[in-house]
């Protein structure tokens, strides 16, 4: 719990120095660490060591969102036709 207090105080200190709120700082941190986790998983996906279902479960996102990330980063993937 003491580690959490340190983090809280650092966030509050940073919020006072910048013109951002604590919540905006936390949102930016969340986005940063999510992108970091996505990039790690994309490396494993490219090498064929991790499947889409494992990645989506790990990141807690839908497969559709993961395929959108793949298209955004221009990474090749199989496209299945719905009929």
């Amino acid at each position: 719990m003491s580690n959490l207090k340190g983090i809280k105080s650092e966030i509050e200190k940073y919020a006072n120095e910048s013109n951002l709120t604590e919540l905006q700082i936390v949102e930016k941190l969340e986005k940063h660490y999510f992108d970091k986790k996505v990039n790690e998983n994309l490396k494993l996906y490219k090498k064929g060591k991790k499947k889409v279902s494992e990645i989506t479960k790990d990141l807690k996102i839908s497969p559709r969102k993961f395929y959108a990330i793949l298209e955004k980063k221009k990474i090749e993937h199989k496209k299945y036709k719905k009929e």
Side-chain angles (χ1 to χ4, degrees), residues 17-72:
E17 292 172 1
S18 66
N19 56 352
L20 299 172
T21 65
E22 287 92 350
L23 192 58
Q24 289 172 325
I25 294 167
V26 171
E27 287 172 353
K28 286 186 177 200
L29 286 171
E30 181 182 12
K31 184 177 181 335
H32 168 75
Y33 284 109
F34 179 77
D35 289 343
K36 185 176 176 181
K37 190 84 170 172
V38 166
N39 288 334
E40 290 172 7
N41 282 307
L42 286 176
K43 288 178 186 174
L44 294 173
Y45 176 77
K46 285 180 190 176
K47 293 178 183 176
K49 294 184 179 182
K50 208 164 187 186
K51 294 181 181 180
V52 173
S53 60
E54 295 169 338
I55 294 171
T56 56
K57 193 181 292 182
D58 187 32
L59 296 175
K60 296 178 180 136
I61 59 172
S62 69
R64 182 176 282 178
K65 188 170 183 177
F66 181 70
Y67 286 119
I69 291 170
L70 289 176
E71 287 182 12
K72 184 179 176 184

